[in-house]
């Protein structure tokens, strides 16, 4: 469990670190991209003369001559901006889209005055100082003031009576206003939210410090239509962006919106990945446990495809994380399946046991019941010989029933390890010899050739005299009972090594088939027929095996039909 806990901790931490690193890398890439995009769009407010990487790329020096980069210049021209390359003496070396009202040479303070708006200049300026080839160059980028730029576009959208929808859209995009006055100063039309509109326009309203300031920062422009004798007052808020670049107003908003959508998709994908990687194995384990709880131990075997395996038949990486749990569940499944099989076998054996016991008790009881009916029937003068025969039969049947009950009790005590055994070190050859002599000297077994072969060396082994003798008795009795007369039965003791010895009971009788041999030591595999010798209980071989195991030994049998049977008892020192 320590291994799986460490593996789980390492896996979860590493995955979280991976996700955080991926998120950090994505965020850095996004910020770098946004920064590059912003840098490629010159600012219109609060500019400095420091080097600008985008403007630096607009020109190059070849053999002392300035060459403009067509691609970079194209981007500037699309924004309706113009560009100049100025040397340290204020002389223009190259230009693009330069208006006629822009100087080609600047005095030392003139360019700075235009840039700082300390003197009127109709353009917003960006100045970038660049060093190339050991020389200092200045890149000047200009764009018309917002109000003036708007003033050049609005007259085109005027039809003499009102602005077109495009004109109104231009005003809306720049948050600008338009007031049109007649020759006598009366207001004719106004668009946008005009603050403090003048009922009658005069020079006092168009001149003065406030009006000059508005025009100097590009927020106001006065357009006079000489043909119609109309005065247009166009105003744009000071912080408004340039006309023609309205599409860039929402650039940052769109960029962050895109980043937010990407972040949400990343979180959803990560959650789905985590759910599939860690949830699928857990669900598999839960279903496995539920299946075991329902007693279904074979479903996995009949399934064509195991979800925990890949195409090559190996465990998927996500399932390998819980391999100890999977292995334990598989072992549990096998154990439960084996227990279920054993339970069914025990159930079947129990039923056969009951059938066998019923048969073995019913047969002698039938004989006893028959003789009882005869004795209680009409008076009959029984001879002495007939009485003896009846008494002998009743004794044999009652003895058989008593032995059967004793054997049933003995086999259950052995099964539950409840049989008291007093094991003392004895000489094995002598114990077995006494048991064999009992059969040799019994007149009813004289028709069988019973022999005993002791080991060359004495064998000492801790055993219970009573129960060890019972093992040998049961083996010999079984050989006598199931073989015809004149069968040779040999009991051979042999010391195989210093660690174990064997007791072999072999005969040349009728033998057994494989089915009988497989169930030789099972209880009641063959019931006792009352027409045969009733001295046995039908539990002899089962009891012999249990007693052998109780003495620390093991038992094995081999047999060939028509040739005989060999049973080997092996005991370890």
């Amino acid at each position: 469990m320590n291994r799986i806990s460490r593996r789980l901790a390492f896996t979860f931490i590493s995955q979280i670190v991976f996700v955080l690193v991926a998120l950090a890398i994505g965020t850095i890439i996004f910020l770098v991209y946004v920064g590059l995009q912003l840098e490629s769009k010159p600012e219109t407010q609060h500019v400095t003369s420091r080097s600008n990487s985008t403007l630096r790329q607009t020109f190059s020096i070849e053999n002392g001559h300035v060459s403009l980069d067509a691609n970079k210049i194209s981007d500037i021209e699309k924004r309706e901006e113009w560009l100049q390359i100025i040397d340290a003496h204020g002389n223009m070396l190259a230009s693009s889209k330069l208006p006629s009202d822009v100087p080609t040479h600047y005095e030392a303070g003139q360019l700075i005055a235009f840039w700082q708006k300390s003197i009127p200049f109709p353009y917003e300026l960006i100045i970038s100082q660049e060093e190339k080839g050991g020389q200092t160059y200045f890149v000047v980028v200009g764009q018309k003031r917002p109000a003036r730029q708007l003033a050049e576009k609005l007259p085109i959208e005027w039809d003499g009576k009102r602005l077109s929808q495009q004109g109104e859209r231009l005003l809306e995009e720049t948050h600008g206003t338009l007031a049109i006055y007649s020759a006598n100063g009366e207001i004719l039309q106004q668009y946008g939210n005009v603050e403090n509109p003048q009922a009658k326009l005069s020079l006092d309203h168009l001149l003065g410090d406030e009006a000059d300031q508005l025009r100097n920062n590009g927020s106001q422009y006065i357009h006079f239509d000489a043909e119609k004798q109309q005065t247009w007052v166009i105003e744009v808020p000071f912080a408004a962006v340039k006309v023609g670049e309205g599409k860039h107003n929402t650039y940052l908003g769109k960029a962050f919106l895109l980043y937010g959508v990407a972040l949400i998709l990343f979180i959803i994908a990560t959650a789905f990945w985590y759910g599939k990687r860690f949830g699928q194995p857990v669900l598999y384990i839960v279903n496995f446990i539920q299946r075991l709880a329902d007693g279904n131990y074979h479903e996995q075997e009949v399934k064509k495809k195991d979800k925990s395996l890949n195409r090559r038949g190996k465990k998927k990486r996500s399932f390998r994380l819980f391999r100890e749990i999977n292995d334990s569940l598989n072992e549990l499944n096998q154990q439960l399946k084996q227990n279920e099989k054993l339970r069914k076998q025990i159930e079947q054996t129990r039923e056969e046991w009951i059938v066998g016991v019923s048969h073995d008790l019913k047969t002698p009881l039938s004989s006893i019941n028959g003789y009882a009916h005869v004795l209680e029937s009409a008076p009959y003068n029984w001879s002495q010989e007939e009485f003896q025969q009846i008494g002998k039969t009743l004794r044999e049947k009652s003895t058989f029933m008593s032995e059967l009950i004793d054997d049933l009790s003995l086999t259950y005590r052995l099964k539950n390890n409840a049989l008291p055994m007093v094991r003392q070190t004895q000489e094995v050859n002598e114990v077995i010899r006494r048991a064999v002599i009992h059969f040799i000297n019994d007149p009813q077994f004289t028709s069988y050739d019973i022999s005993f072969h002791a080991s060359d060396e004495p064998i000492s082994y801790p055993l219970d005299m009573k129960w060890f003798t019972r093992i040998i008795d049961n083996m010999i009795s079984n050989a006598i009972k199931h073989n015809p007369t004149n069968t040779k039965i040999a009991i051979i003791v042999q010391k195989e090594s210093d660690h174990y010895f064997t007791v072999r009971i072999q005969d040349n009788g009728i033998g057994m088939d494989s089915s009988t041999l497989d169930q030789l030591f099972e209880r009641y595999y063959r019931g006792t027929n009352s027409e045969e010798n009733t001295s046995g209980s039908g539990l002899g071989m089962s009891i012999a095996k249990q007693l052998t195991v109780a003495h620390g030994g093991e038992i094995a049998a081999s047999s060939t039909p028509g040739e005989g049977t060999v049973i080997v008892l092996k005991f370890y020192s």
Side-chain angles (χ1 to χ4, degrees):
M1 294 305 293
N2 288 334
R3 282 178 20 185
I4 190 172
S5 63
R6 287 196 298 268
R7 190 185 309 118
L8 284 172
F10 173 77
T11 301
F12 279 107
I13 292 175
S14 61
Q15 296 300 332
I16 291 174
V17 171
F18 170 77
V19 171
L20 292 177
V21 169
L23 186 61
I25 292 175
T27 303
I28 292 173
I29 292 174
F30 167 76
L31 293 177
V32 170
Y33 174 76
V34 171
L36 291 176
Q37 292 298 315
L38 291 177
E39 190 178 51
S40 66
K41 297 173 176 55
E43 301 177 2
T44 59
Q45 304 291 334
H46 309 294
V47 294
T48 70
S49 61
R50 290 178 296 180
S51 175
N52 183 299
S53 59
T54 302
L55 296 181
R56 179 179 178 83
Q57 298 171 9
T58 58
F59 74 102
S60 61
I61 306 300
E62 298 178 2
N63 300 323
H65 297 284
V66 176
S67 299
L68 299 179
D69 186 295
N71 293 329
K72 299 296 182 181
I73 295 301
S74 175
D75 293 338
I76 293 176
E77 291 176 350
K78 288 178 182 179
R79 298 195 295 268
E80 299 182 6
E81 298 173 346
W82 51 265
L83 178 141
Q84 283 180 310
I85 307 299
I86 307 296
D87 63 14
H89 303 291
N91 297 317
M92 184 179 74
L93 304 178
S95 66
S96 171
K97 293 289 184 180
L98 188 69
S100 59
D101 57 349
V102 176
T104 58
H105 172 78
Y106 297 93
E107 298 299 332
Q110 185 183 15
L111 180 60
I112 304 304
F114 288 155
W115 179 47
Q116 293 179 346
K117 303 174 185 177
S118 57
I119 59 176
F121 194 62
Y123 302 96
E124 296 284 345
L125 297 182
I126 296 174
I127 301 175
S128 176
Q129 180 178 347
E130 307 294 344
E131 299 287 339
K132 287 191 177 184
Q135 299 293 326
T136 300
Y137 300 91
F138 296 92
V139 180
V140 181
V141 176
Q143 187 182 50
K144 289 181 180 178
R145 299 286 178 86
R148 179 170 180 173
Q149 187 175 355
L150 186 59
E152 292 179 356
K153 295 178 180 290
L154 289 180
I156 302 175
E157 307 297 333
W158 178 258
D159 63 1
K161 294 182 179 180
R162 60 174 299 155
L163 280 177
S164 66
Q165 292 183 352
Q166 177 63 21
E168 292 182 1
R169 189 178 301 111
L170 289 173
L171 285 171
E172 182 179 353
E173 289 178 354
T174 58
H175 304 286
T177 62
L178 169 64
I180 303 177
Y181 295 90
S182 63
N184 59 6
E186 296 179 352
I187 190 166
L188 300 175
Q189 296 274 0
Q190 67 178 24
Y191 296 89
N193 186 17
V194 179
E195 295 183 2
N196 303 321
Q198 303 298 326
K200 190 173 182 63
L201 185 66
S202 65
L203 287 177
D204 294 340
H205 301 127
L206 300 179
L207 298 174
D209 294 340
E210 183 178 353
D212 291 343
Q213 183 178 0
L214 289 174
R215 283 192 293 275
N216 286 337
N217 61 32
S219 297
Q220 186 187 76
Y221 187 79
I222 306 300
H223 170 71
F224 180 71
D225 187 341
E227 181 180 351
K228 298 180 180 180
Q229 296 295 302
Q230 293 178 347
T231 302
W232 290 26
V233 180
I234 302 166
E235 293 185 357
V236 177
F238 178 74
V241 295
K242 295 171 279 186
V243 177
E245 290 189 5
K247 62 181 180 180
H248 300 306
N249 285 341
T250 58
Y251 173 77
L252 280 178
K254 291 181 179 179
F256 278 102
L257 177 62
L258 180 63
Y259 175 77
V261 172
L263 181 61
I264 293 174
L265 293 177
F266 176 78
I267 293 174
I268 294 175
T270 302
F272 177 79
W273 177 73
Y274 258 88
K276 184 176 179 61
R277 181 173 178 81
F278 298 110
Q280 190 176 22
V282 172
L283 182 61
Y284 174 85
I285 292 172
V286 171
N287 290 335
F288 202 147
I289 295 174
Q290 184 62 47
R291 183 165 54 82
L292 294 181
D294 294 338
N296 186 356
Y297 314 126
H298 306 280
E299 181 180 347
Q300 194 67 25
E301 297 177 359
V302 300
K303 282 187 176 180
K304 293 183 178 179
K305 184 176 180 181
D306 188 346
K307 293 182 179 180
S308 65
L309 303 178
N310 56 26
R311 295 180 180 178
R312 294 178 295 177
K314 296 182 178 180
K315 283 288 182 184
K316 294 179 181 177
R317 184 179 297 275
S318 58
F319 284 83
R320 278 183 244 164
L321 180 63
F322 304 96
R323 58 176 174 268
E324 286 86 0
I325 298 177
N326 286 325
D327 292 343
S328 298
L329 287 176
N330 286 325
E331 291 177 4
L332 178 61
N333 182 63
Q334 294 297 325
Q335 186 65 42
L336 291 175
K337 186 166 61 175
Q338 184 177 354
N339 291 344
E340 182 190 29
K341 181 179 179 182
L342 181 61
R343 182 183 59 81
K344 291 180 179 179
Q345 290 177 348
I346 292 175
E347 195 72 26
Q348 181 180 0
T349 302
R350 188 180 69 172
E351 293 177 1
E352 294 174 353
W353 179 289
I354 294 173
V355 172
V357 169
S358 300
H359 175 270
D360 288 344
L361 288 176
K362 185 176 181 180
T363 302
L365 283 174
S366 297
S367 298
I368 294 173
N369 189 50
Y371 279 116
H373 279 289
V374 171
L375 291 175
E376 72 176 359
S377 62
Y380 177 77
N381 293 325
W382 300 94
S383 66
Q384 184 66 27
E385 183 178 351
E386 287 174 330
F387 271 119
Q388 288 179 347
Q389 183 61 37
I390 291 174
K392 180 181 178 181
T393 301
L394 293 175
R395 179 183 59 79
E396 288 178 350
K397 301 303 180 182
S398 62
T399 300
F400 169 76
M401 294 174 63
S402 177
E403 290 179 351
L404 177 59
I405 294 172
D406 290 342
D407 286 349
L408 285 173
S409 175
L410 175 60
T411 189
Y412 273 109
R413 290 168 70 188
L414 287 169
K415 179 182 178 182
N416 297 319
N417 296 319
L419 181 67
M421 297 183 65
V422 181
R423 297 178 62 181
Q424 296 178 348
T425 302
Q426 303 286 342
E427 210 287 309
V428 175
N429 288 289
E430 180 61 23
V431 174
I432 297 178
R433 185 185 66 80
R434 292 176 184 175
V436 174
I437 289 177
H438 170 74
F439 283 93
I440 294 175
N441 294 335
D442 194 325
Q444 61 180 332
F445 302 136
T446 56
S447 59
Y448 292 89
D449 184 4
I450 302 174
S451 60
F452 171 67
H453 305 274
S455 63
D456 296 334
E457 301 178 16
I459 300 174
S460 297
Y461 188 76
L463 51 84
D464 186 297
M465 180 76 73
K466 175 183 176 181
W467 299 120
F468 192 83
T469 302
R470 178 68 179 272
I471 297 172
I472 306 302
D473 289 348
N474 285 7
M475 294 288 115
I476 299 174
S477 296
N478 189 73
I480 292 173
K481 181 177 180 181
H482 297 287
N483 286 305
T485 57
N486 299 319
T487 298
K488 292 183 179 181
I489 302 173
I491 297 88
I492 306 170
V493 180
Q494 187 172 354
K495 186 175 183 180
E496 303 294 342
S497 70
D498 293 336
H499 302 293
Y500 74 95
F501 68 92
T502 59
V503 179
R504 187 185 306 269
I505 299 93
Q506 62 185 36
D507 63 66
N508 62 347
I510 61 176
M512 293 176 283
D513 58 23
S514 59
S515 176
T516 303
L517 186 63
D518 290 340
Q519 303 185 66
L520 178 62
F521 301 106
E522 298 296 328
R523 301 186 187 98
Y524 280 101
Y525 172 65
R526 297 183 66 188
T528 303
N529 192 319
S530 64
E531 295 179 358
E532 297 177 351
N533 186 354
T534 59
S535 60
S537 65
L539 295 169
M541 298 304 287
S542 175
I543 291 174
K545 179 180 179 180
Q546 289 176 300
L547 288 172
T548 300
V549 174
H551 277 85
E554 57 187 41
I555 189 169
S558 60
S559 182
T560 303
E563 295 183 7
T565 301
V566 178
I567 298 177
V568 179
L569 309 177
K570 183 183 291 187
F571 296 92
Y572 295 90
S573 301

